[in-house]
Amino acid sequence: MDRYDIIIIGSGPAGATFARLLDDRYRILLVDRRPLHKSAQKVIKNCGGLIAPDAQKALASFGLSLPVNILVTPQTFAVETLDFDNDMIKSYQRHYMNVDRELFDRWLLSLCDTKNIKKSFSSHFISAKKSAEGYVVTLRKEKQQQDVFAPIIVGADGANSKVKKDLVGARKENEPLRYVSIQEWFKNETDLNRYVAIFDSEISDFYSWIIPKEQYIIFGSAIKEGDDVMRLHELQKKKLARYGYSLNKPIKKSGSYILRPKSSKDISLGIDDVALIGEAAGFISPTSAEGISYAMISGAKLAHALNEDREHFAAIYKENTASLRFNITKKILKYPFMYNKIVRKIIFQIGIGALDTNQR
Ligand SMILES: Cc1cc2nc3c(=O)[nH]c(=O)nc-3n(C[C@H](O)[C@H](O)[C@H](O)COP(=O)(O)OP(=O)(O)OC[C@H]3O[C@@H](n4cnc5c(N)ncnc54)[C@H](O)[C@@H]3O)c2cc1C
């Protein structure tokens, strides 16, 4: 059985950042079920692919800048906010970078090409058994099962984390809310060149969005798990048609969970020698669903904790992520300003922060 110091399940922004920043004294196995090998064909990662200012700041603090081949057109500076509850529209300045999310993940992974990191892609985490010295992890790759061993496991496996479910658990009241997020790709027939955010309480207490990407537009919605997701997603498209957005004949479709923490208590950092980072831990903005910055920052903080003190890493990780949990609390306090329709109507009427679009 191959032995490592740390096995990381999930090679998204959290797992890749964590692996890159760990000391090279650690022998690491970085696993992902996606075919992320350099030669493998690109798959669609269910994401809007917007790199928000917090993620840009995290990249800058790592001393990284984005290679231009990751960027897609248009790079736009405005979000148009459609408030279907109050039948109002306002535009706001936003500083996102528009990227190809799959290429972004592959770029972060290309930065972990060091001898101490072994990558295993198209490889599914199946189970882990605890022994006195650590964990025997069973992986499945091309129908073959393989056991590997490590004293530490890191769950970086996203919103539907199996590592969390199988090895950490949580009290029901401390689970983040779960939304089902469907995204469809359409031809950009109207040359849309701005982002659109749609608030509509008939559909969801979260939001829907349209993002232009090269010759396509992506329409996505985040609808509470348990609601009639497909019907509501279709209804939102019909309502958008009345505002001139034609969303016919999707070319591609993807779906996944998206988490929404209700309080900082919904963040779970792990237990014993199993640590969670990124969305697996519940790190994601409860107001905008921006998760890339939290994934990279929490990955970096766990790496620093393990580099500092292998024995007491869990306590250091907890202490170092206090600012991230506080950040989520601040966003929860902002919630009524975005999601309470009466408050939003007043903000729209006063025009706080809105762009003057009369100049078009
Ligand atoms: C529709 C949608 C749109 C979004 N848009 C944005 C956006 O524009 N900007 C933004 O900042 N955030 C966005 N987010 C949130 C963002 O995508 C996530 O929060 C972020 O990707 C979390 O990073 P991560 O590394 O923690 O997890 P992920 O990026 O989800 O990576 C987890 C990895 O684990 C792997 N994995 C999972 N289970 C297993 C298993 N059993 N075995 C092996 N591998 C496994 C997966 O293949 C995946 O590669 C969006 C989310 C959704 C759903």
Side-chain angles (χ1 to χ4, degrees), residues 77-330:
F77 315 112
V79 59
E80 184 173 83
T81 309
L82 306 183
D83 179 342
F84 282 5
D85 293 320
N86 296 308
D87 196 19
M88 293 173 97
I89 301 180
K90 283 278 175 214
S91 290
Y92 295 89
Q93 187 181 15
R94 286 290 177 273
H95 301 280
Y96 298 121
M97 299 190 81
N98 198 1
V99 302
D100 179 319
R101 172 63 203 266
E102 180 74 11
L103 291 185
F104 177 75
D105 283 13
R106 285 174 183 234
W107 167 67
L108 284 179
L109 278 172
S110 73
L111 305 174
C112 345
D113 276 341
T114 52
K115 266 200 268 167
N116 61 316
I117 304 176
K118 185 169 174 210
K119 296 173 186 165
S120 181
F121 296 142
S122 300
S123 185
H124 294 241
F125 164 65
I126 302 296
S127 61
K129 264 200 205 110
K130 195 171 176 180
S131 70
E133 300 129 61
Y135 295 86
V136 175
V137 173
T138 304
L139 303 173
R140 195 189 64 234
K141 188 170 179 165
E142 289 153 10
K143 295 186 187 157
Q144 302 275 329
Q145 291 218 352
Q146 186 204 359
D147 284 348
V148 283
F149 173 87
I152 297 177
I153 299 185
V154 173
D157 49 345
N160 200 24
S161 172
K162 186 167 165 57
V163 173
K164 180 177 176 192
K165 247 180 268 167
D166 291 3
L167 301 175
V168 179
R171 293 215 307 260
K172 207 159 184 264
E173 62 271 27
N174 294 139
E175 287 288 0
L177 298 172
R178 274 156 67 102
Y179 289 72
V180 178
S181 184
I182 297 175
Q183 284 201 146
E184 292 180 290
W185 293 61
F186 302 87
K187 272 245 171 285
N188 188 354
E189 283 161 353
T190 55
D191 284 334
L192 180 79
N193 67 351
R194 58 190 178 275
Y195 311 125
V196 182
I198 306 114
F199 296 93
D200 183 350
S201 55
E202 189 184 3
I203 307 296
S204 171
D205 64 359
F206 215 173
Y207 75 113
S208 306
W209 55 88
I210 301 175
I211 301 170
K213 288 242 177 231
E214 301 283 344
Q215 70 271 42
Y216 300 108
I217 51 173
I218 305 174
F219 164 66
S221 54
I223 297 170
K224 225 183 210 158
E225 187 181 35
D227 286 355
D228 190 350
V229 175
M230 275 323 295
R231 185 186 67 78
L232 292 167
H233 179 84
E234 291 302 322
L235 178 61
Q236 184 81 104
K237 283 198 300 192
K238 270 196 202 132
K239 291 172 104 174
L240 278 161
R242 282 185 237 141
Y243 282 72
Y245 294 98
S246 97
L247 301 168
N248 297 313
K249 297 197 198 122
I251 293 154
K252 300 184 247 183
K253 193 176 198 167
S254 55
S256 63
Y257 286 111
I258 195 160
L259 299 183
R260 195 178 197 193
K262 309 177 290 309
S263 105
S264 62
K265 291 196 183 116
D266 293 355
I267 308 299
S268 166
L269 303 177
I271 191 164
D272 301 332
D273 281 340
V274 179
L276 300 174
I277 53 178
E279 208 174 328
F283 283 123
I284 182 161
S285 162
T287 45
S288 66
E290 188 269 310
I292 294 173
S293 67
Y294 291 97
M296 294 191 296
I297 296 168
S298 58
K301 290 198 183 282
L302 181 63
H304 293 146
L306 273 154
N307 293 344
E308 191 179 323
D309 184 345
R310 155 72 185 84
E311 293 313 309
H312 302 102
F313 79 88
I316 302 170
Y317 179 47
K318 186 171 178 198
E319 195 180 319
N320 290 354
T321 46
S323 55
L324 277 187
R325 290 191 300 279
F326 180 59
N327 188 286
I328 285 180
T329 304
K330 276 197 302 194

Side-chain angles (χ1 to χ4, degrees), residues 8 10-21 30 105 108-109 112 156:
I8 308 167
S11 310
T17 303
F18 171 64
R20 181 175 60 82
L21 293 173
L30 182 57
D105 283 13
L108 284 179
L109 278 172
C112 345

Side-chain angles (χ1 to χ4, degrees), residues 336-359:
F337 296 96
M338 287 175 78
Y339 290 99
N340 179 304
K341 53 187 174 191
I342 298 164
V343 178
R344 199 170 55 229
K345 185 173 181 179
I346 296 167
I347 292 173
F348 269 42
Q349 276 169 340
I350 301 172
I352 302 169
L355 289 172
D356 176 4
T357 47
N358 292 325
Q359 301 179 57

